[in-house]
Amino acid sequence: MTIKQPLSVVLAGGGSAGHVAPLLAIAAALKERDPQVKLLAVGTAEGLETRLVPDAGVELVLIDRVPMPRKPSADALRFPARMRAAIRSSQRILEDAEADVLLGVGGYVCTPMYQAARKAGIPIVIHEANLRPGLANRWGARYTEWIGTAFQGTKLAKARWVGMPLRRQIARLQRPLQGGRVQNGPAKEELGFDSGKPLVVVTGGSLGALRMNQALAASLPAFAEAGVQILHITGTGKALLDDAGRPVESPGYRQVEYFDGMERAYAAADLLICRSGAGTVSEVAAVGVPAIFVPLPVGNGEQALNAATLVDQSAALMVADQDFTPEWLKHNALPLLKDPARLTELGQRAGQAGIRDAAEKMADMIVQAAR
């Protein structure tokens, strides 16, 4: 069968950065493969996609967010009619786009889009970012054989392990080694830090992590005494303030609420302390940066499972959220920073587990599905 040119791909998913980031990485891989490809993203008004997708130069259309009811309620009674309306909107989007393929990465928007594509006979391609698949992708996986997963242990029938689609700037980042140590001095200087002192990057993700922030704030004197520099990405609206309401200050410490271009932070870091969302774990592995994971202690424990994919290979460390205290940092993080050989070993082991070409694999899958 000959594919019409240019190929038209509708990309559905959103809500969190964990859905939007791989969607945009796949979109970029498709564009790199064929600059004429037609791309249209579908999301909801409540998700991060409303900002991230247009910023990436991809057209975005919105449909209503229709969460699956978990218990009897007024919303549960309205659910069937709302879902039917969302499916009709999805059908119009696919028709107007003359879609050859639907790519879904998970999130509320995917369920009606999968149903509409199935009715229209449009091939469905799925990428599942989490070790435990989400509800929408579990449902959609029943109707396609074109499924890629970020983690090897994800249980979806007919799925292939491809890795996590990453932004090119991260997937192609190199941390050069010389004499058994990462040569990250220039990257530190680029961020305004001293190239000769250790640098820790701490981030709780785009929303921040209050407990991590508080433990770090209490540890600043110990880090300063040890000559350790810190880039602290606090999360939007979660800046650390002193009693006078001013941003906390300490020698070698800098805090920002948001950091644009995490590849620059990865390039400079001697150690990363972070949550363990699927995207972050995959980036740590692809880049080969030494990391301490502090899994978010909510939901079904998926962040701990994500982190375990590296921890079980001695490629990262993990500490439970309730155990992440100033005392833990003093007795674990500071000694690690004084052991360059151990840091190098962690980074190299992580890099051996990393996958850098998942976006290209998913682009190939989309083209194959169109055929």
Side-chain angles (χ1 to χ4, degrees):
M1 174 183 173
T2 301
I3 308 174
K4 71 174 175 51
Q5 296 295 333
L7 187 68
S8 175
V9 182
V10 172
L11 309 107
S16 68
H19 288 132
V20 181
L23 181 149
L24 291 177
I26 296 167
L30 286 165
K31 272 287 186 186
E32 190 170 74
R33 181 188 181 110
D34 178 9
Q36 301 304 313
V37 67
K38 293 168 60 180
L39 300 175
L40 177 68
V42 185
T44 68
E46 296 81 6
L48 285 177
E49 60 269 24
T50 56
R51 176 174 61 85
L52 298 179
V53 170
D55 284 353
V58 177
E59 184 182 356
L60 174 70
V61 295
L62 304 176
I63 64 173
D64 289 339
R65 178 178 179 272
V66 188
M68 186 78 71
R70 303 288 181 178
K71 56 185 178 181
S73 65
D75 281 342
L77 293 175
R78 290 191 291 268
F79 174 77
R82 292 181 64 200
M83 179 57 74
R84 286 193 296 270
I87 292 170
R88 288 194 295 270
S89 296
S90 301
Q91 289 173 313
R92 287 193 294 271
I93 289 168
L94 293 172
E95 290 169 5
D96 292 346
E98 298 181 339
D100 297 301
V101 182
L102 170 68
L103 168 75
V105 296
Y108 293 119
V109 69
C110 282
T111 302
M113 291 299 300
Y114 290 152
Q115 180 72 349
R118 187 171 74 93
K119 286 186 174 183
I122 295 169
I124 296 169
V125 178
I126 292 174
H127 185 270
E128 174 54 59
N130 292 302
L131 199 56
R132 285 180 173 165
L135 184 61
N137 280 354
R138 290 204 308 271
W139 189 88
R142 296 185 294 175
Y143 305 108
T144 181
E145 61 186 65
W146 305 102
I147 305 168
T149 65
F151 294 106
Q152 190 171 15
T154 301
K155 290 179 171 56
L156 279 176
K158 299 172 284 188
R160 311 174 210 174
W161 179 38
V162 299
M164 177 72 80
L166 304 173
R167 288 191 303 115
R168 281 174 288 181
Q169 294 92 328
I170 291 175
R172 297 174 185 178
L173 176 63
Q174 300 291 332
R175 283 167 53 92
L177 277 173
Q178 185 177 330
R181 299 187 67 169
V182 173
Q183 301 303 301
N184 57 354
K188 292 178 187 177
E189 291 178 351
E190 185 181 327
L191 297 182
F193 289 96
D194 187 328
S195 63
K197 295 181 178 179
L199 175 64
V200 179
V201 175
V202 182
T203 174
S206 59
L207 299 178
L210 182 60
R211 184 180 181 86
M212 289 177 63
N213 290 351
Q214 291 172 336
L216 184 66
S219 303
L220 289 179
F223 278 99
E225 184 179 349
V228 174
Q229 306 172 106
I230 300 173
L231 172 60
H232 185 191
I233 306 167
T234 64
T236 304
K238 291 188 173 65
L240 288 181
L241 304 178
D242 62 19
D243 292 339
R246 296 170 301 204
V248 167
E249 294 183 354
S250 181
Y253 172 76
R254 186 163 93 238
Q255 61 167 303
V256 295
E257 292 192 14
Y258 177 78
F259 192 83
D260 188 26
M262 277 300 292
E263 65 276 2
R264 296 183 296 134
Y266 291 151
D270 292 294
L271 177 66
L272 178 71
I273 301 177
C274 57
R275 290 300 197 201
S276 51
T280 301
V281 172
S282 298
E283 289 177 356
V284 163
V287 173
V289 60
I292 295 173
F293 293 121
V294 189
L296 185 68
V298 298
N300 58 9
E302 68 182 24
Q303 285 211 358
L305 291 173
N306 294 341
T309 61
L310 293 184
V311 173
D312 289 350
Q313 299 179 61
S314 300
L317 303 180
M318 177 165 56
V319 55
D321 187 75
Q322 69 267 22
D323 297 328
F324 187 76
T325 63
E327 291 74 23
W328 191 94
L329 285 165
K330 179 180 178 180
H331 294 296
N332 293 274
L334 284 177
L336 180 59
L337 287 161
K338 296 175 183 177
D339 189 349
R342 176 69 171 134
L343 288 172
T344 299
E345 180 187 15
L346 283 172
Q348 288 181 319
R349 285 180 178 272
Q352 291 166 3
I355 298 175
R356 293 173 174 259
D357 62 349
E360 289 74 18
K361 290 175 182 173
M362 288 304 302
D364 288 342
M365 194 181 295
I366 287 167
V367 172
Q368 291 165 9
R371 293 192 174 118

